[in-house]
Amino acid sequence: MKTFDRPDEILENSKKIHMVGIGGSGMCPIAEILHSKGYIITGSDNNESDNLKRIRNLGIEVVLGHSADNVNGAEVVIYSAAISSDNPELVEAARQRIPVMERSEVLGVLTRRFSKVIGVSGTHGKTTTSSIITQILYMCNYDPTAVIGGRLPIINANGRAGSSEYMVCESCEFVDTFLKLSPDLSVLLNIDGDHLDYFKTMDNLIASFKKFVSMSKVAVVNGDDPLCARAIDGFEGECLKFGLNSENDFRAENLKTAEFGMCFDVSVKGKKVTTITLSIPGKHNVYNALAAFAVAYYYGIEPEHIKNAIEKFAGSGRRFERLGEFGDICLVDDYAHHPTEISSTLKAARDLGYSKIVAVFQPFTFSRTELLKEEFINALSLADSVVLMPIMGSREVNITGIKSEDLAAGLDDCICVDTFEQAADAAIRCADGEALIITMGGGDIYKAAHIIGDKLK
């Protein structure tokens, strides 16, 4: 077996790669990038999907099902965090002493193969901002490589392999994953209390973002967020601030509500350069768009070209994703799984003028639900009616006994259900008049959204 000191050396000295769970949203773009770099890729997954079709169209061999035989001939095996340690392919890789790498390690190595890596970090808004930046670069013929947490409609994928030195990389702070990356330009959107089961304290969380930003030469930072200010204290590179306050380098001014989102002027160093009308709702998306604008402007793209690309952005997958209009009912699906995100999303929905908002929410992780119970109740109370699914524990064990009924107890118009079918029926019953039904959560609540759509058809 070859032995290496660094993850970079593993890929530098390998040619044949097998990817376990290749169809996953985080794995698929990495497979595409590695393929474009000349690696011979094979993969396996349990379920057929659009991602697998995309991968196969590149000429990558993919098998359904996991078997020890699948790793034969591989020089390195890559797996996602969703793959269990007893997976037969990982077990066989260990038996054959084939080097094994987790997805985030590989992503870190790839960021060191590009000279203009844009790492987008923050508690909220990473996927939307990464998507907007990618769309600007793509539409302006910068041919970027991208790894995004949601589907970007203009490329109909979670990422792409480009031929330029630009790489857009959504950079998640969970278990310090983003510290494996090597950003040249870092974006810091905001800092809020999340993943505290891992970080324990806000000071630790801020310190982690500080480390991430410190790895870059240029930082594009939310100048209105006091916690971001703490994270960039002492930063020695070039710092560009964005926000609504007058001291920011990139500022949104004269905000107005438009048909699908906010309209605002963009000023750079105090001088108005353009006006942007968003097609995605909410004040939080003004910040996301402004951060993307700052990045594109820094790289020399003309304001009107940036404006054109931003105004054509209608959202990424599961980020206020409109699934259809059914008579007087509009159906939307959203990834919001933290109280701040739920609050922002519901306020944005309210701004669109619907007479009734029905929120279908699936809490994600027991620790977050327990720690932020009152915040969840306050956020969900912004809806007229709430339908709650059982908590999706993901990687956790429920050590406190927290349940969705504990949230329901603090809400006026709320029902708890057990299945997606029940959630769909309850949501439709609650919707009357000109209503918006929005499914929210970080798990698989989107399945309820599609059932609702089928029933409303």
Side-chain angles (χ1 to χ4, degrees), residues 18 44 63-72 87-90 92:
H18 180 73
S44 61
V63 296
L64 283 181
H66 297 296
S67 166
D69 292 340
N70 292 341
V71 304
N72 288 337
N87 179 281
E89 295 176 16
L90 293 186
E92 180 63 14

Side-chain angles (χ1 to χ4, degrees), residues 145-423:
T145 293
V147 179
I148 310 169
R151 183 182 61 83
L152 175 58
I154 197 170
I155 61 174
N156 194 31
N158 287 62
R160 70 185 302 272
S163 61
S164 74
E165 287 300 311
Y166 288 89
M167 180 182 190
V168 182
C169 186
E170 182 169 334
S171 308
C172 183
E173 73 277 13
F174 176 63
V175 299
D176 279 327
T177 299
F178 64 172
L179 298 184
K180 297 175 183 176
L181 309 178
S182 296
D184 299 287
L185 181 151
S186 61
V187 179
L188 180 51
L189 296 167
N190 44 63
I191 300 177
D192 198 359
D194 200 11
H195 302 307
L196 294 179
D197 54 322
Y198 171 76
F199 289 106
K200 306 303 180 187
T201 68
M202 286 300 295
D203 284 344
N204 289 341
L205 177 61
I206 293 166
S208 188
F209 278 108
K210 189 180 184 76
K211 287 179 186 175
F212 177 74
V213 172
S214 71
M215 296 190 293
S216 63
K217 306 178 191 74
V218 183
V220 173
V221 180
N222 184 341
D224 296 348
D225 189 323
L227 298 185
C228 287
R230 287 176 57 187
I232 61 169
D233 184 37
F235 177 66
E236 296 180 353
E238 183 178 0
C239 187
L240 302 172
K241 295 181 180 179
F242 66 89
L244 307 186
N245 296 333
S246 59
E247 63 271 16
N248 288 297
D249 302 296
F250 294 83
R251 187 182 179 199
E253 302 174 306
N254 304 318
L255 273 67
K256 302 183 184 71
T257 301
E259 183 178 4
F260 297 114
M262 304 291 287
C263 175
F264 57 94
D265 296 331
V266 178
S267 68
V268 180
K269 306 285 188 182
K271 179 183 177 182
K272 178 184 171 182
V273 295
T274 192
T275 300
I276 292 175
T277 301
L278 297 178
S279 297
I280 47 176
K283 189 175 178 181
H284 59 295
N285 279 320
V286 173
Y287 280 92
N288 295 336
L290 198 56
F293 187 100
V295 171
Y297 190 93
Y298 172 81
Y299 283 118
I301 302 178
E302 290 294 326
E304 288 308 300
H305 294 160
I306 303 173
K307 163 192 168 75
N308 180 53
I310 291 177
E311 290 189 337
K312 285 183 168 57
F313 179 77
S316 47
R318 300 218 62 223
R319 272 66 180 181
F320 213 90
E321 183 178 7
R322 293 171 180 264
L323 299 181
E325 303 272 351
F326 306 90
D328 289 333
I329 296 176
C330 177
L331 178 61
V332 170
D333 181 44
D334 196 272
Y335 190 70
H337 59 283
H338 182 282
T340 300
E341 296 165 352
I342 292 168
S343 178
S344 296
T345 299
L346 292 177
K347 286 176 182 176
R350 185 69 69 190
D351 288 342
L352 295 177
Y354 290 94
S355 60
K356 186 168 189 180
I357 296 173
V358 179
V360 184
F361 180 55
Q362 178 191 51
F364 190 64
T365 76
F366 302 114
S367 61
R368 182 187 285 118
T369 310
E370 176 69 47
L371 184 65
L372 302 175
K373 183 176 74 171
E374 293 304 318
E375 289 87 342
F376 274 117
I377 291 170
N378 291 336
L380 289 166
S381 67
L382 296 173
D384 298 294
S385 299
V386 178
V387 179
L388 288 178
M389 290 287 297
I391 299 169
M392 187 172 191
S394 183
R395 59 194 174 271
E396 295 183 343
V397 176
N398 190 359
I399 59 175
T400 65
I402 185 76
K403 54 188 185 298
S404 290
E405 284 77 5
D406 296 324
L407 301 182
L411 295 165
D412 292 333
D413 186 356
C414 181
I415 180 172
C416 291
V417 297
D418 294 320
T419 68
F420 295 130
E421 189 81 22
Q422 291 170 351

Side-chain angles (χ1 to χ4, degrees), residues 47-66:
N47 302 300
E48 196 61 69
S49 65
D50 289 340
N51 282 344
L52 289 193
K53 292 175 188 173
R54 180 182 177 90
I55 289 295
R56 287 196 183 103
N57 285 339
L58 295 174
I60 295 173
E61 181 184 341
V62 180
V63 296
L64 283 181
H66 297 296

